């Protein structure tokens, strides 16, 4: 399932600008969903300010484990 839904290309573009994103937690871990949602934030001040910040969070997430399971990937 795509994070942005729509019946047509035009509706998907409209939903990208105005709509809500499908809950990502249904098909990925909560911590990874939080990183992705921050990267997709509509407001620039709520997004990652640099690619290195984004990569840093992805790297930290890839190292995070609960028991024997990696949270992110």
């Amino acid at each position: 399932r795509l994070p942005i839904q729509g019946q047509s290309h035009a509706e998907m573009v409209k939903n990208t600008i105005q709509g809500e994103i499908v809950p990502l937690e249904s098909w990925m871990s909560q911590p990874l969903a939080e990183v992705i949602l921050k990267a997709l934030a509509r407001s620039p001040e709520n997004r990652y300010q640099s690619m290195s910040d984004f990569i840093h969070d992805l790297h930290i997430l890839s190292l995070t484990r609960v028991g024997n399971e990696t949270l992110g990937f």
Side-chain angles (χ1 to χ4, degrees):
R1 211 170 139 182
L2 297 173
I4 307 291
Q5 300 293 307
Q7 297 298 317
S8 67
H9 180 69
E11 186 177 338
M12 287 183 73
V13 170
K14 177 184 163 251
N15 289 341
T16 298
I17 296 168
Q18 300 172 348
E20 293 298 317
I21 295 173
V22 172
L24 301 176
E25 298 84 2
S26 62
W27 52 282
M28 68 177 65
S29 70
Q30 174 71 33
L32 179 57
E34 290 173 8
V35 170
I36 299 301
L37 288 173
K38 182 174 179 177
L40 294 173
R42 282 188 176 81
S43 179
E45 61 269 7
N46 293 333
R47 287 184 217 135
Y48 286 98
Q49 298 302 301
S50 70
M51 184 56 75
S52 63
D53 291 343
F54 183 45
I55 291 169
H56 175 265
D57 279 0
L58 288 173
H59 177 71
I60 296 300
L61 187 61
S62 73
L63 300 175
T64 304
R65 298 176 82 72
V66 173
N68 292 329
E69 187 174 325
T70 302
L71 284 177
F73 309 103

